[in-house]
């Protein structure tokens, strides 16, 4: 994977790449949006804890594809309030590898259940 960060545009605002180039012939895994819900159905109150659970769920999905969180090339994340951005970004920075993937963060009005604060979907690539 090659990060794409052209000098002709402003640098990223946080720890992400403007784009990622995936070599020809690599396998892709595309994960549906994951919510911060544990296998037993519990949902932590804290946005960071929810984001950590999202990444744990994504890690389990990627394991099925013989990949890891280090193989993520694209992250789309959604939070329900600006106040949850820091918790999500701290979690993202703790879980994704280097170079950091391309990333988008959007503030949304809500999810299927009111206790959810974060949803994360990814695309991963590996040889």
């Amino acid at each position: 994977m090659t990060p794409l960060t052209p000098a002709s545009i402003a640098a990223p605002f946080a720890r992400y790449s403007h784009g990622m180039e995936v070599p020809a012939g690599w396998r892709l895994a595309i994960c549906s949006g994951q919510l911060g819900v544990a296998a037993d159905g519990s949902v932590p109150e804290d946005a960071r804890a929810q984001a950590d659970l999202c990444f744990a769920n994504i890690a389990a999905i990627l394991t099925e594809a013989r990949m890891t969180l280090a193989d993520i090339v694209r992250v789309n994340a959604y939070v329900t309030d600006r106040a949850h951005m820091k918790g999500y970004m701290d979690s993202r920075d703790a879980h994704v590898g280097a170079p950091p993937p391309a990333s988008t963060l959007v503030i949304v009005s809500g999810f299927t259940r009111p206790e959810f604060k974060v949803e994360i979907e990814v695309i991963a690539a590996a040889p």
Side-chain angles (χ1 to χ4, degrees):
M1 298 179 286
T2 304
L4 305 173
T5 53
S8 62
I9 64 176
F13 294 121
R15 189 176 172 269
Y16 64 89
S17 298
H18 281 304
M20 294 294 287
E21 181 181 16
V22 176
W26 278 34
R27 299 176 298 111
L28 294 178
I30 297 138
C31 296
S32 295
Q34 297 299 303
L35 295 160
V37 58
D40 66 2
S42 63
V43 177
E45 175 66 26
D46 180 66
R48 167 68 193 258
Q50 285 191 23
D52 287 341
L53 266 174
C54 292
F55 279 110
N57 293 341
I58 290 165
I61 294 164
L62 293 178
T63 296
E64 292 284 312
R66 299 172 321 281
M67 295 183 192
T68 70
L69 294 175
D71 296 313
I72 294 173
V73 296
R74 174 87 176 131
V75 176
N76 289 333
Y78 312 91
V79 297
T80 57
D81 193 285
R82 275 188 172 75
H84 305 317
M85 290 172 58
K86 181 175 179 359
Y88 157 72
M89 291 170 68
D90 288 347
S91 180
R92 179 199 62 198
D93 292 350
H95 289 96
V96 300
S103 182
T104 296
L105 174 58
V106 179
I107 299 168
V108 298
S109 63
F111 301 115
T112 56
R113 291 180 10 203
E115 64 267 37
F116 293 132
K117 297 176 178 163
V118 179
E119 183 170 349
I120 304 169
E121 58 188 31
V122 305
I123 298 173

